[in-house]
Amino acid sequence: MEEFIGGLWHRFITRAATRSYPQAVVRLADMERTAGILFRALGGDPGLRVAPAAEVEHGARRNWLARLAHTGEKTAHAARDDETLRLPAEITLFPERSLNRDLYLWLIAQGAALDVDQALADNWIVANQTASAATLAAFPGFATRYRRLVDAVLAERPDPAKLPADEAAAERAIRQALLAPGSVGSLPAARKPPTPVALWLYPAPVSIDRRQSPANPTPAESRDGGSKTSDATERRRQAQREDMPDGKNGLILPFRAESLLSFADFVKVNRAHDEDTDDDPAKAAGEMDTISVAQDGHDTSSKVRFDLDLPSAAHDDFPLQSGILLPEWDWKKQTLKRDMCSVTVLDARDAEPGPLPSRLVRPARSLRRQLEALTPARRWIKNQPEGTELDIDACVRAFADRRTGHSVGNSGGYQSCERRERDLCCLVLADLSLSTDTWVSDDQRVIDVIRDSLWLFSEALGATGDPFGIYGFSSRRREHIRIHRIKDFDEKIDDRIRGRIGALKPGFYTRMGAAIRYATTILAKRPEALRLLMILSDGKPNDVDHYEGRYGIEDTRMSLNAARQEGVRPFCVTIDKEGQGYLPHLFGPAGYTILRNPAELPARLPRLYAQLTAG
């Protein structure tokens, strides 16, 4: 009975203290695509991605009912840094759904105009006013929405007359800045932070800089082997570095009740072990405002995984060519670094020649029939003065004209055969990173889908006669980029090529920029007019070193720009459900396609090729 009454009281007091409107909720997941398009249309950095913001304690004054119910302690601040625009995962601030949606649109516009350097310099109130004024000046259509939002926000904010003098001064300054952006130069100091301003972006949480990390990754950093799977929310957390406790006499402490919770923060827990099946570190991290990171000197890699170690020469694929140096784009310095990446071209060691798998024989036959329409056809040109055969119709007409006295001279009585060739070629570049080892169904992995796709693609293109090549790639840092030769342009489809496809296995990481540059050097030597580069991928570019996030995205973008300058037409086929956030920045609006169901890739790939080359 006591627990029942306590539950009723908790629900009642929480409902009474919560100042939100769940019935009018608008979620970022529903606005994500619109957010990206609008952000870029308003002049925002096209390389930024949109992601949910984490809830953090704001420290502002709360009313007595909120303190009693322990509600309103945290809020999700909209924020922006060099790589990400963070927006609340959902907005329930206003009773009207249209207002909540307009708040999303305004925060997107604010993020597009915000000066990040000014915001990081603790002038965030000035930076937000400048961004607001610039947005209203450049896009007057936002003025009506902004006024409605300001009126709604001011109605929800605390009354300055009921606040202490210092907090009241800060509140009046915020109200003035909202009503007339640019009129407030600084925020008056107060003992407590002001209530969060829903229309403004706050400084982004400081994240750990990986460049300050040791040169060699810890087992926890490297155990995933380039897998793109992560927390579904991908929320940014505040982070700070701490020294690792030595653990000496850790349990011999003078008993103080207030020390119990703080001591738990420094309990040494190895969460990288495969045996820890009951722990949920992602859930634990999701409930923390600040994550402390310390470098542990103990190596536990022997208990985790070995598959990221490079194989020995006796068990690795045959190196066909090594030491190929390629450049890499440093987006922070805005410079192209020469000879930064080393490429090794490999041939499969364990590839045994074999026929096409029996389960693919019927789909391959069907695709070949569909693509036979693209095969160059023979066409007879009639009524020619010269040719390989007589044009019977022309001869009969000439004879009839002469008999009737209407001869028009020798107009040609021959016909010639013309064969029109398709002046194009294609190179397929497949991502073979370790993330392709993930399962897409009960009996099929991503790498299995890629194998089936390459089998069917190669069989189907045999019906068109178009020259094509197939390569795969993975990487482990910039000095070891692996290009797997599956089929060269001058090789025919046979059991040997099918055996190479069957020998494909997951590799390491995804340094996509270097792989695209190598593929461009191959296509640049081809004589065809249309040179198509089809990229099969399952996620973002990344590697174990600094090649992740914005760095990998921008390097890949620069490699694609260089490919276009060489006359190469890139096109990406991906199964990454979050690809909408970065693929338009890389390939343009018509340069990619996202397959929601990975099992569709084998059948879709040849058809996509037919669509891209039909003209």
Side-chain angles (χ1 to χ4, degrees):
M1 179 60 69
E2 182 179 354
E3 294 180 358
F4 175 75
I5 298 299
L8 291 177
W9 166 253
H10 174 73
R11 288 192 293 271
F12 169 76
I13 196 65
T14 301
R15 190 181 302 112
T18 301
R19 300 176 64 91
S20 64
Y21 303 91
Q23 71 278 5
V25 62
V26 177
R27 295 181 174 84
L28 180 60
D30 301 329
M31 295 284 297
E32 190 170 3
R33 185 168 185 175
T34 303
I37 296 174
L38 179 62
F39 181 75
R40 295 170 180 86
L42 296 179
D45 188 343
L48 264 66
R49 67 188 183 97
V50 179
E55 291 188 346
V56 295
E57 292 187 7
H58 53 76
R61 184 178 296 276
R62 295 176 294 146
N63 58 37
W64 67 271
L65 192 58
R67 294 197 302 272
L68 179 63
H70 295 284
T71 61
E73 299 175 347
K74 297 182 179 182
T75 188
H77 292 306
R80 179 195 154 182
D81 55 22
D82 290 334
E83 299 187 15
T84 310
L85 173 64
R86 302 276 171 178
L87 299 176
E90 60 180 31
I91 295 180
T92 58
L93 185 61
F94 306 118
E96 299 179 23
R97 194 173 188 276
S98 60
L99 276 175
N100 292 325
R101 187 177 186 277
D102 285 347
L103 179 54
Y104 264 128
L105 299 178
W106 175 255
L107 290 175
I108 295 167
Q110 188 85 338
L114 185 70
D115 187 338
V116 177
D117 294 334
Q118 187 180 26
L120 293 177
D122 293 332
N123 293 326
W124 64 277
I125 184 173
V126 177
N128 276 282
Q129 292 180 83
T130 303
S132 300
T135 300
L136 295 174
F139 307 101
F142 270 104
T144 303
R145 278 191 173 95
Y146 180 73
R147 293 301 174 188
R148 289 181 62 219
L149 287 170
V150 169
D151 293 341
V153 166
L154 294 181
E156 297 288 335
R157 295 190 63 81
D159 185 358
K162 300 179 180 179
L163 296 175
D166 55 346
E167 297 178 29
E171 179 62 27
R172 283 191 289 268
I174 290 175
R175 289 172 173 263
Q176 176 65 25
L178 289 173
L179 293 171
S183 60
V184 177
S186 62
L187 190 66
R191 287 176 296 177
K192 283 183 173 292
T195 301
V197 184
L199 293 176
W200 288 351
L201 271 69
Y202 282 69
V206 179
S207 60
I208 295 296
D209 190 347
R210 290 194 61 150
R211 291 175 300 176
Q212 298 176 356
S213 302
N216 297 322
T218 64
E221 289 173 331
S222 63
R223 66 179 183 272
D224 290 336
S227 175
K228 281 93 175 173
T229 58
S230 60
D231 179 12
T233 60
E234 292 187 347
R235 295 177 178 175
R236 178 65 57 89
R237 305 292 179 187
Q238 291 182 341
Q240 62 184 14
R241 285 200 175 276
E242 299 285 354
D243 293 332
M244 192 67 188
D246 56 12
K248 295 180 180 180
N249 299 327
L251 296 178
I252 304 177
L253 294 174
F255 178 79
R256 291 190 301 168
E258 64 272 16
S259 299
L260 290 177
L261 294 179
S262 61
F263 174 72
D265 293 341
F266 291 94
V267 173
K268 181 177 177 180
V269 179
N270 292 327
R271 295 193 180 273
H273 293 188
D274 289 338
E275 291 82 359
D276 297 339
T277 56
D278 295 332
D279 290 341
D280 190 354
K283 180 180 179 180
E287 298 174 353
M288 300 173 66
D289 293 332
T290 302
I291 298 178
S292 299
V293 181
Q295 178 62 46
D296 186 359
H298 296 285
D299 187 3
T300 60
S301 60
S302 60
K303 297 182 180 180
V304 189
R305 300 181 69 159
F306 293 97
D307 54 1
L308 287 189
D309 293 335
L310 294 177
S312 63
H315 295 85
D316 200 3
D317 293 337
F318 294 108
L320 300 176
Q321 193 176 2
S322 60
I324 304 174
L325 299 179
L326 296 174
E328 188 168 274
W329 175 258
D330 188 334
W331 74 276
K332 290 187 176 180
K333 297 181 179 179
Q334 293 294 297
T335 182
L336 187 67
K337 296 182 177 180
R338 303 291 177 182
D339 301 337
M340 279 292 291
C341 300
S342 179
V343 171
T344 301
V345 183
L346 301 168
D347 198 359
R349 178 182 295 271
D350 301 327
E352 297 182 359
L356 185 69
S358 58
R359 69 180 185 280
L360 299 179
V361 171
R362 180 175 294 180
R365 189 182 301 118
S366 175
L367 288 172
R368 285 180 66 90
R369 285 197 297 266
Q370 295 177 24
L371 266 65
E372 282 177 353
L374 303 177
T375 305
R378 299 174 63 188
R379 187 175 66 126
W380 288 97
I381 303 177
K382 296 186 176 184
N383 201 24
Q384 298 297 309
E386 297 180 354
T388 57
E389 297 183 14
L390 285 174
D391 186 349
I392 301 300
D393 293 337
C395 292
V396 171
R397 284 195 303 269
F399 178 77
D401 289 341
R402 283 195 299 269
R403 292 296 298 267
T404 58
H406 297 86
S407 178
V408 293
N410 186 14
S411 59
Y414 295 92
Q415 60 181 359
S416 61
C417 182
E418 181 185 63
R419 180 181 175 88
R420 295 188 175 182
E421 299 289 345
R422 285 158 51 90
D423 192 16
L424 57 88
C425 66
C426 176
L427 188 149
V428 179
L429 189 62
D431 178 4
L432 301 179
S433 61
L434 193 62
S435 59
T436 60
D437 198 25
T438 58
W439 295 86
V440 296
S441 64
D442 294 338
D443 58 349
Q444 199 172 39
R445 299 172 299 166
V446 174
I447 189 65
D448 301 324
V449 174
I450 291 177
R451 289 197 201 102
D452 291 352
S453 302
L454 297 181
W455 269 319
L456 290 180
F457 182 82
S458 58
E459 296 295 327
L461 258 65
T464 67
D466 298 337
F468 68 99
I470 303 176
Y471 292 81
F473 74 96
S474 66
S475 65
R476 191 179 188 275
R477 301 180 181 273
R478 62 182 179 88
E479 63 270 9
H480 194 83
I481 299 166
R482 302 163 64 89
I483 300 293
H484 298 265
R485 187 199 67 167
I486 303 171
K487 178 191 176 299
D488 280 334
F489 281 93
D490 55 355
E491 293 180 306
K492 294 182 179 293
I493 288 295
D494 53 21
D495 289 347
R496 184 168 48 91
I497 302 301
R498 299 185 187 101
R500 291 179 187 172
I501 297 175
L504 294 178
K505 54 183 179 294
F508 301 93
Y509 298 88
T510 315
R511 213 175 194 94
M512 190 177 292
I516 292 174
R517 290 187 177 94
Y518 180 79
T520 301
T521 61
I522 297 176
L523 287 172
K525 300 175 183 178
R526 299 294 304 177
E528 289 80 8
L530 173 59
R531 289 165 284 182
L532 179 63
L533 173 61
M534 295 188 71
I535 303 168
L536 308 184
S537 176
D538 68 332
K540 287 184 180 179
N542 78 316
D543 207 334
V544 72
D545 52 10
H546 57 271
Y547 199 88
E548 62 178 359
R550 186 74 182 274
Y551 190 103
I553 292 292
E554 293 299 332
D555 176 63
T556 302
R557 179 171 177 267
M558 293 301 294
S559 68
L560 291 169
N561 291 340
R564 296 185 184 99
Q565 293 174 4
E566 293 288 342
V568 176
R569 180 185 176 185
F571 188 87
C572 180
V573 183
T574 183
I575 60 175
D576 184 10
K577 297 180 180 179
E578 300 178 359
Q580 191 65 45
Y582 63 92
L583 289 176
H585 180 55
L586 296 180
F587 294 92
Y592 69 94
T593 185
I594 300 175
L595 301 182
R596 302 299 177 184
N597 182 10
E600 297 178 357
L601 181 59
R604 288 285 301 277
L605 186 60
R607 294 171 185 169
L608 285 171
Y609 174 82
Q611 295 172 9
L612 293 171
T613 61

